[in-house]
Amino acid sequence: MPHTVPVHDGLFVAGSPPRLLGSRCRACTGHHFPRHRTCPYCASDQVDEVELSPTGTLWSWTAVTAAPPGYRGAVPYGFGVVELPEGLRVVTRLTESDPSRLRSGQAMELVLDPLHLDGEGRQVVVPAFAPAGGP
Amino acid sequence: MTSVEVAGVAIHPFGRFEGVTTTELGVAAVRGALAEAGVGRGGFQAAFCATAYGGVACGHRILGALGMTGMPIVDVEAGCASGGAALMLAAGAIRAGQYETVVVFGVEKMPKGVIRSSFFEPWQEEAGLAATPAYFALRAQRLMATSGVTKEDLAAVVVKNRRQGAANPDAMFRAEVSPAEVLASRLICEPLHLWMLCSPNEGAAAVVLRAGAPGSGRVRLDAAVLRSHLPGAVLSESTPMAGLVDVDVPAPSTLAADDAYREAGIGPGDLDLVECQDTDAARELLAYEELRLCPPGGATGLLAGGATAMGGRLPVNPSGGLLSKGEPLGASALGQVVEVVRQLRGDAGQRQVEGATVGLAHTVGRGANAAVVICSR
Ligand SMILES: [Zn+2]
């Protein structure tokens, strides 16, 4: 596998499967993504880093057909919200860019999706959810 | 509690005005509103200027061009709800006895092309997560899934508002459109097509508020409320990257509406017209539910029955809405208030809602911020 770099440090841990890196509040038990130093639900600073579940269910989805500001990757690309078993909704890229091929409540799994090449020719990757059990 | 009169209003048309500066747009609106109120230099004790892209001391530049400085001038930014926020501050100060007359104005020249926002981190932009219309689309998809809204309903909102906007000389788009044309416009993010989204543009609006009970036929400001989102909501104009699985978190628009109804001592059934945030077509339908104009899930029925069209029980966006006017961020909320006030005075010409006595203006957007303003005569 060619050398890849994450679009941003601290978003995920690679592996099979990769996992999003979030946080969990000791006071209210709420989960967050990306990681927070303080809890955005209850203001506690007793927050631990946790690896989030690599699977979830699809809650809403669309596809972006024109490049938004600052984006150099391919269009169209899938975009949606996935519910994780921790009780957390995550706004995320989806590997499926045809909305008609997705349905509400569908099982999804985390993958690392190629985004674009950086200035040194390395592949930049971004976490994305794919329909579970796909190729 | 001290009554607050809307003593004067004015709007600079919304559109694109090459060579006209932000200051010139603001000056036009401020002059108009002051003239209507019969207020001159030295006749007001404070000014609030709503803007997001106007730059440092935007309000000072506008009032400076008129030689009307010396009083406190404060710029206010609360996303799409900036004008509502400025109005809330002004009305509160008048009710507290701090000032007798306050000028509130909003002005914007939205950048052309794709708008970059400091709201997103650079890596979020790089990852394609700063796609503003995609967030609107996710919300629209949820509304379709939960309230039975169809793409045809979304097109019907556009058709309604563009028909109403055709009668508004201050609107940017003044041609009626057909459902087929709306659905044939370019797909931006499923289910939203280009014509279902409002255009960022330029414009200004101004309102003069004055302490005291208005005389017969004049308009009173009953409530001006700004609220932000509660923690946890993911798509209620809220936290862009994470949220709790919790459907019971009330949207900021509902928080603002409930406060405003209470403050005004009325309920949604008392309204004669509504100007609401139609950033996209689904947003208007969502506003029906959030503002309690219908029960949850009832938006389609309200629209299909014609209740929210001109001649219906509760016309929504008689001005044509942002889908017709376009959206100059800092000016849009006050633009709605100008429309409500003209409707209540009976000054709305071809688009007059007959006999209107109570009107509501609603904006919601980035922050999240939501504002609800209620006026009556
Ligand atoms: Zn907490």
Side-chain angles (χ1 to χ4, degrees), chain A:
Chain A
M1 188 171 176
H3 188 59
T4 62
V5 289
V7 65
H8 188 65
D9 285 330
L11 284 182
F12 62 88
V13 285
S16 47
R19 286 167 177 268
L20 293 175
L21 211 46
S23 46
R24 178 183 179 278
C25 174
R26 288 187 209 170
C28 76
T29 74
H31 286 78
H32 330 121
F33 175 79
R35 294 177 297 180
H36 284 248
R37 288 179 193 280
T38 55
C39 178
Y41 313 127
C42 79
S44 166
D45 61 358
Q46 300 297 300
V47 169
D48 300 315
E49 183 176 299
V50 290
E51 292 181 12
L52 297 170
S53 168
T55 57
T57 55
L58 191 61
W59 188 73
S60 188
W61 66 95
T62 185
V64 178
T65 61
Y71 178 73
R72 295 181 286 127
V75 288
Y77 60 92
F79 188 81
V81 178
V82 170
E83 266 186 12
L84 302 183
E86 288 88 344
L88 175 68
R89 290 187 190 124
V90 177
V91 176
T92 177
R93 285 177 67 104
L94 304 173
T95 57
E96 179 56 70
S97 61
D98 178 356
S100 70
R101 297 175 61 140
L102 295 168
R103 58 187 167 74
S104 191
Q106 184 167 356
M108 306 294 282
E109 63 189 12
L110 190 70
V111 298
L112 297 182
D113 213 17
L115 188 57
H116 56 74
L117 299 179
D118 72 4
E120 295 161 43
R122 296 175 302 180
Q123 181 65 59
V124 177
V125 294
V126 63
F129 278 87

Side-chain angles (χ1 to χ4, degrees), chain B:
Chain B
M1 193 162 61
T2 309
S3 282
V4 177
E5 179 192 357
V6 181
V9 296
I11 188 168
H12 181 289
F14 291 1
R16 282 292 184 187
F17 307 100
E18 207 70 54
V20 180
T21 65
T22 300
T23 301
E24 288 164 341
L25 292 173
V27 162
V30 168
R31 285 183 79 127
L34 288 173
E36 253 198 32
V39 169
R41 283 178 69 182
F44 56 97
Q45 299 85 48
F48 293 94
C49 170
T51 187
Y53 295 89
V56 172
C58 182
H60 294 69
R61 280 184 274 129
I62 290 163
L63 291 174
L66 292 165
M68 294 183 176
T69 53
M71 74 296 292
I73 305 168
V74 182
D75 288 357
V76 178
E77 190 275 317
C80 300
S82 297
L87 213 58
M88 174 189 74
L89 295 171
I94 290 173
R95 291 210 165 98
Q98 191 174 9
Y99 311 119
E100 188 181 303
T101 305
V102 180
V103 180
V104 183
F105 51 103
V107 62
E108 213 73 79
K109 277 181 90 79
M110 298 293 282
K112 280 195 177 162
V114 190
I115 298 166
R116 297 190 79 139
S117 168
S118 55
F119 194 74
F120 292 103
E121 307 267 353
W123 74 264
Q124 292 176 315
E125 292 192 335
E126 188 179 343
L129 299 175
T132 304
Y135 289 88
F136 300 163
L138 293 178
R139 195 181 52 211
Q141 294 274 69
R142 283 300 299 176
L143 186 70
M144 291 170 73
T146 58
S147 288
V149 171
T150 64
K151 272 179 96 156
E152 286 66 31
D153 294 328
L154 300 182
V157 171
V158 182
V159 169
K160 170 182 80 72
N161 288 1
R162 290 288 295 270
R163 180 181 303 136
Q164 290 165 191
N168 184 355
D170 298 319
M172 184 179 191
F173 301 106
R174 299 199 53 203
E176 294 193 28
V177 295
S178 72
E181 286 175 309
V182 175
L183 292 169
S185 67
R186 186 160 59 87
L187 180 65
I188 301 298
C189 290
E190 182 69 31
L192 300 177
H193 290 248
L194 183 62
W195 289 10
M196 296 176 185
L197 290 152
C198 83
S199 300
N201 64 358
E202 306 170 16
V207 173
V208 177
L209 297 183
R210 185 156 55 202
S216 168
R218 300 185 67 92
V219 173
R220 184 174 58 226
L221 179 75
D222 296 306
V225 174
L226 176 75
R227 292 293 297 264
S228 62
H229 67 288
L230 295 175
V234 70
L235 280 179
S236 300
E237 306 284 353
S238 184
T239 326
M241 281 301 288
L244 291 174
V245 174
D246 186 354
V247 293
D248 294 329
V249 178
S253 294
T254 300
L255 298 174
D258 285 350
D259 281 3
Y261 290 136
R262 196 177 313 118
E263 207 170 303
I266 64 158
D270 297 314
L271 299 172
D272 296 312
L273 75 129
V274 169
E275 286 277 305
C276 81
Q277 180 92 23
D278 54 340
T279 320
D280 64 87
R283 233 268 142 256
E284 173 163 325
L285 296 177
L286 195 56
Y288 294 177
E289 301 188 8
E290 290 176 341
L291 300 174
R292 306 190 189 281
L293 308 182
C294 64
T300 303
L302 197 64
L303 175 78
T308 59
M310 295 305 285
R313 175 170 62 76
L314 178 60
V316 174
N317 285 320
S319 70
L322 305 180
L323 288 168
S324 299
K325 291 187 292 188
E327 188 182 22
L329 219 62
S332 63
L334 293 173
Q336 294 178 332
V337 173
V338 171
E339 175 71 13
V340 167
V341 169
R342 288 180 174 169
Q343 290 283 352
L344 297 181
R345 287 181 185 157
D347 284 346
Q350 272 183 288
R351 60 185 194 285
Q352 182 65 46
V353 176
E354 287 309 321
T357 59
V358 186
L360 180 149
H362 157 257
T363 41
V364 60
R366 191 94 359 115
N369 288 291
V372 170
V373 176
I374 296 174
C375 295
S376 66
R377 71 162 163 86

